[in-house]
Amino acid sequence: MTDNPTTATADRVAEFDQGRKGFVHQVQHRLHVTPALVPLIVLVGSIAVFGALLGNKFFSPFALTLILQQVQIVGIVGAAQALVILTAGIDLSVGAIMVLSSVIMGQFTFRYGLPVEVAVVSGLAIGTAIGAFNGWLVSAMKLPPFIVTLGMWQIVLAANFLYSANETIRSQEIASEAPLLQIFGTTFKIGGAVFTVGAIFMIVLTLILAYVLRHTAWGRHVYAVGDDPEAAELSGVNVRATLISVYALSGLICAFAGWALIGRIGSVSPTSGQLANIDSITAVVIGGISLFGGRGSIMGMLFGAVIVGVFSLGLRLMGADAQWTYLLIGVLIIFAVAIDQWIRKVSA
């Protein structure tokens, strides 16, 4: 008995559609469970392209480790930003907290003559306190994170300039009297590669946070709060405590970034790091962390920060105008958000 041609054709079309749908969902599922996959592919691809165009000029151990040195501050601050964005918030004050913490470390040492260890701990404590206050305003007062951190950015920035009197503590003074402040800028060689303590700290910090977020109850609470705070509350998660702890940890990490900033530039400058908040958001978004919260990987943030470094160094070695870097990074940001929206649409 011969099959009906129309029925056979319809069956083949249905099988094709089902297979196509299956493939799309497989891709979506893979990106959903491994959010760092897209930035990793972009990172490997960009390294391969610039390596092919520039050869050993780009593919040298020194050049590749130079990228890590250049992005270490963005990577550290990006880790702080990523924690907040995972809770569906945003922190526009990260750069200001970083700079104020560095100024406090320097001023406590040179203006008041305190031991450098006390000055460092004071800077870390104040950064943590500012972050915790942000968290309290967001969780207890129910204020929007954008408005809270925008206001805190202005307050901390003003406090920074008022307290420091716009005074820069020079590198020579720090090196001779308080070298501990510059420890993150210490370099060491492994073969032809040159690493800094700050770059190693960035990598170790990211690995620790990745483990904590993936394998601890606190990490699962962070994702739960970002995904649906009301459902998280009903399931027994202390949403207020979780948010305060996230913002406090973010402030502490920003304070460490302030310490690393001193090592990176050598001096204590109240005008440094002005774009850290924007750069950190850029690294987070390119790294595949959803701005809607509840989805993303801290490793993706690190890949996002390194991608920016790869484009910056690669284009500079090619002699291209610096504006091309901003243009390409802007394209990557829009692409990353589009991918995130696509994943959410397919998941629905």
Side-chain angles (χ1 to χ4, degrees):
M1 183 176 179
T2 306
D3 292 335
N4 187 325
T6 304
T7 303
T9 302
D11 289 342
R12 286 195 296 271
V13 171
E15 289 175 4
F16 176 76
D17 288 342
Q18 188 175 18
R20 183 177 60 179
K21 182 179 179 181
F23 175 75
V24 170
H25 276 272
Q26 287 177 12
V27 173
Q28 180 273 332
H29 178 71
R30 177 57 58 188
L31 295 178
H32 183 77
V33 299
T34 315
L37 190 58
V38 172
L40 178 59
I41 293 172
V42 173
L43 175 60
V44 173
S46 59
I47 290 175
V49 169
F50 283 115
L53 294 174
L54 296 168
N56 293 334
K57 192 176 181 182
F58 181 83
F59 258 144
S60 67
F62 175 78
L64 294 177
T65 50
L66 179 61
I67 294 171
L68 291 179
Q69 295 180 37
Q70 292 176 336
V71 304
Q72 61 186 359
I73 303 302
V74 173
I76 297 171
V77 179
Q81 187 71 261
L83 290 174
V84 175
I85 289 180
L86 283 173
T87 66
I90 195 166
D91 194 343
L92 299 178
S93 65
V94 288
I97 295 174
M98 174 187 72
V99 178
L100 179 62
S101 299
S102 70
V103 166
I104 287 170
M105 293 176 190
Q107 293 293 338
F108 275 28
T109 301
F110 290 93
R111 181 186 295 183
Y112 304 124
L114 294 176
V116 64
E117 295 83 2
V118 174
V120 168
V121 172
S122 299
L124 296 177
I126 290 175
T128 305
I130 296 172
F133 187 58
N134 278 339
W136 180 79
L137 290 173
V138 170
S139 62
M141 302 299 292
K142 305 299 183 183
L143 299 179
F146 182 90
I147 301 302
V148 168
T149 57
L150 178 64
M152 190 59 67
W153 170 57
Q154 298 281 5
I155 293 169
V156 175
L157 200 62
N160 166 45
F161 287 117
L162 291 171
Y163 176 69
S164 67
N166 210 16
E167 173 189 359
T168 297
I169 302 174
R170 295 180 301 170
S171 176
Q172 295 86 344
E173 296 179 67
I174 298 174
S176 61
E177 300 180 37
L180 181 64
L181 292 178
Q182 295 178 334
I183 192 170
F184 280 91
T186 304
T187 60
F188 58 94
K189 291 185 177 181
I190 300 178
V194 180
F195 295 92
T196 63
V197 173
I200 299 301
F201 177 81
M202 173 188 68
I203 295 172
V204 172
L205 172 67
T206 304
L207 292 175
I208 291 174
L209 289 176
Y211 177 85
V212 169
L213 287 169
R214 189 176 181 86
H215 298 288
T216 68
W218 181 83
R220 290 189 290 273
H221 292 173
V222 170
Y223 280 102
V225 170
D227 188 48
D228 190 336
E230 294 180 358
E233 189 82 54
L234 291 174
S235 65
V237 175
N238 190 331
V239 174
R240 177 183 296 188
T242 300
L243 285 173
I244 292 176
S245 66
V246 166
Y247 280 88
L249 180 57
S250 173
L252 174 62
I253 294 172
C254 289
F256 270 107
W259 190 3
L261 181 65
I262 299 174
R264 175 64 182 160
I265 66 177
S267 60
V268 176
S269 171
T271 60
S272 58
Q274 297 298 320
L275 296 178
N277 54 348
I278 300 299
D279 292 339
S280 66
I281 296 172
T282 299
V284 168
V285 172
I286 293 177
I289 297 179
S290 175
L291 289 174
F292 300 98
R295 194 184 68 81
S297 165
I298 201 81
M299 291 302 299
M301 179 283 305
L302 180 60
F303 296 149
V306 176
I307 287 170
V308 175
V310 167
F311 274 86
S312 298
L313 180 63
L315 291 172
R316 188 161 64 247
L317 290 176
M318 292 177 64
D321 192 294
Q323 301 306 319
W324 281 103
T325 302
Y326 294 110
L327 188 150
L328 292 175
I329 296 304
V331 170
L332 284 176
I333 291 173
I334 296 173
F335 173 75
V337 174
I339 288 291
D340 178 61
Q341 291 287 67
W342 176 77
I343 291 174
R344 287 177 172 272
K345 181 184 294 185
V346 177
S347 299

